[in-house]
Amino acid sequence: NKPPIKIISMGKVYRSDYDATHTPMFHQVEVLYIDKMVNLGHLKSFLITFLKLFFGLQEVPMRLRSSYFPFTEPSIEV
């Protein structure tokens, strides 16, 4: 497909480690936005729009923090 491409993928994630700070299963949302001249502001706006519609809210309080994942760059956590 030609850009723009916008994808939101949600699902359960399983991992083998289990300790006081981690559980073996959690839910994860991944957001992908591909287009020319796109930046993190566009991605944030896309995510806020989705969350407002998904939860039926007028405003969505959200904090973004940069994070390192070896398979994506740049990466953020919400």
Side-chain angles (χ1 to χ4, degrees), residues 16-32:
S16 60
D17 56 342
Y18 181 73
D19 58 35
T21 62
H22 297 95
T23 58
M25 191 276 293
F26 60 96
H27 291 83
Q28 181 169 309
V29 176
E30 295 191 11
V31 181
L32 177 68

Side-chain angles (χ1 to χ4, degrees), residues 5-49:
I5 299 171
K6 299 176 184 179
I7 299 170
I8 295 180
S9 175
M10 299 180 284
K12 294 179 183 176
V13 178
Y14 298 92
R15 61 174 157 208
S16 60
D17 56 342
Y18 181 73
D19 58 35
T21 62
H22 297 95
T23 58
M25 191 276 293
F26 60 96
H27 291 83
Q28 181 169 309
V29 176
E30 295 191 11
V31 181
L32 177 68
Y33 191 158
I34 300 172
D35 201 358
K36 294 179 181 178
M37 303 299 293
V38 71
N39 60 41
L40 282 175
H42 296 101
L43 183 69
K44 180 181 177 183
S45 175
F46 175 49
L47 182 58
I48 288 173
T49 301

Side-chain angles (χ1 to χ4, degrees), residues 43-62:
L43 183 69
K44 180 181 177 183
S45 175
F46 175 49
L47 182 58
I48 288 173
T49 301
F50 166 75
L51 292 173
K52 285 180 180 179
L53 293 170
F54 187 81
F55 290 110
L57 300 172
Q58 293 295 320
E59 293 297 320
V60 178
M62 183 169 43

